[in-house]
Amino acid sequence: MPEKRLHVTLIAHTPEPEKVIAMASRTCYSALDLDGLRDKAETADNAAYIRRVLASGHASVVEHASFTFGIEGVSRTLLAQITRHRLASFSVQSQRYVSVAGQEVFDYVCPPRIRGLGPAAQEKYLAQMKTMQRWYDEWTEALGEDAAEDARFVLPGAAATRMTVTMNARELLHFFSLRMCNRAQWEIRELAWQMYALVAPLAPAVFADAGPGCVRGACPEGKRSCGRADEVRARKAACQERREKE
């Protein structure tokens, strides 16, 4: 069955990101030349230094580290959300150039709440996807050459896609603060948690306080709080424990 599940891999990242960030930060405050700054980054406690710098509010220096992710098994609905994070680079599979004509059914994402209703609900959902596949094929046949450009208009937000996304560490911290929150939509929330799990071991000082406001103190959502801050903190603690065991 072409139902897809979210999967994230870390394709590439800035080598030794905390050394790069520490060197960049010391550029602002030290009289050392570049060789001296590099030597300092090799010998000093960069993690402690980065924590002090971030605590002071000097967050721009973490922009010097970037991370590139391969993401698949996500919906076009998610695409509409993640591209609101404008300080990022996106390369997305094109429905204009990648046709799904002639398939039994295109790749799609099924929301967990529908899946949780049981086999009958899943079959109903699949039948709806197949109906839209039939519409797509009908328009492909009617339109002829370059049909995917317009036939794609009948595909749903559930249609699966894949993308390559690059964010610097500062934008990741912003992304995590919004999207790891329980009030974020379920799909992008799960994406954010998976991305966090991949980058946190590479720059633990940078991402030590990553996540929604409730992991650092009181929930900033006020009356709109989910009321489950302990759950969020426990999930992050579990991520850290797994990382320490690996």
Side-chain angles (χ1 to χ4, degrees):
M1 179 182 289
E3 180 188 340
K4 295 296 182 181
R5 302 294 178 93
L6 192 159
H7 179 65
V8 187
T9 60
L10 186 63
I11 297 174
H13 61 86
T14 301
E16 300 182 291
E18 292 193 344
K19 285 185 180 180
V20 172
I21 291 168
M23 183 175 174
S25 179
R26 289 190 178 99
T27 302
C28 302
Y29 304 114
S30 175
L32 292 172
D33 62 14
L34 290 177
D35 287 338
L37 291 169
R38 187 178 295 107
D39 291 342
K40 187 75 171 178
E42 290 290 340
T43 58
D45 184 348
N46 292 318
Y49 177 70
I50 289 170
R51 286 193 290 270
R52 291 196 301 272
V53 169
L54 289 176
S56 74
H58 190 184
S60 65
V61 293
V62 300
E63 295 175 16
H64 293 285
S66 66
F67 302 82
T68 299
F69 305 88
I71 301 169
E72 60 185 354
V74 293
S75 69
R76 304 294 292 197
T77 297
L78 179 139
L79 178 61
Q81 297 179 77
I82 195 171
T83 50
R84 294 173 184 165
H85 293 270
R86 289 168 290 180
L87 298 181
S89 300
F90 302 94
S91 297
V92 183
Q93 185 183 59
S94 172
Q95 288 182 325
R96 182 183 182 193
Y97 295 109
V98 180
S99 173
V100 296
Q103 300 183 19
E104 179 184 4
V105 63
F106 51 84
D107 292 343
Y108 65 89
V109 174
C110 181
R113 290 178 64 188
I114 294 178
R115 195 183 307 118
L117 293 175
Q122 294 177 51
E123 285 300 318
K124 179 178 180 179
Y125 188 79
L126 173 58
Q128 292 169 341
M129 298 300 106
K130 287 182 175 179
T131 295
M132 284 176 272
Q133 174 73 58
R134 187 171 68 252
W135 294 343
Y136 182 94
D137 289 343
E138 288 172 356
W139 284 117
T140 298
E141 184 177 354
L143 294 170
E145 188 177 358
D146 298 325
E149 178 172 272
D150 293 326
R152 60 180 167 162
F153 277 73
V154 300
L155 293 176
T161 191
R162 62 179 57 90
M163 67 188 81
T164 299
V165 177
T166 300
M167 295 185 185
N168 66 49
R170 188 180 190 181
E171 178 59 16
L172 277 172
L173 287 170
H174 174 66
F175 179 73
F176 294 152
S177 71
L178 297 177
R179 303 303 187 170
M180 287 169 66
C181 175
N182 274 346
R183 295 194 69 250
Q185 185 261 354
W186 65 267
E187 189 178 18
I188 200 167
R189 182 173 68 242
E190 182 58 30
L191 173 63
W193 277 98
Q194 289 195 29
M195 290 167 66
Y196 164 75
L198 291 170
V199 301
L202 300 172
V206 174
F207 297 108
D209 292 329
C214 65
V215 303
R216 296 179 292 278
C219 174
E221 295 286 338
K223 293 181 179 180
R224 295 186 176 183
S225 172
C226 72
R228 305 198 307 274
D230 289 345
E231 174 187 305
V232 178
R233 294 170 189 146
R235 183 173 184 180
K236 186 174 179 187
C239 286
Q240 292 171 330
E241 289 174 10
R242 285 196 299 270
R243 186 167 71 242
E244 290 168 0
K245 292 178 181 178
E246 293 175 353

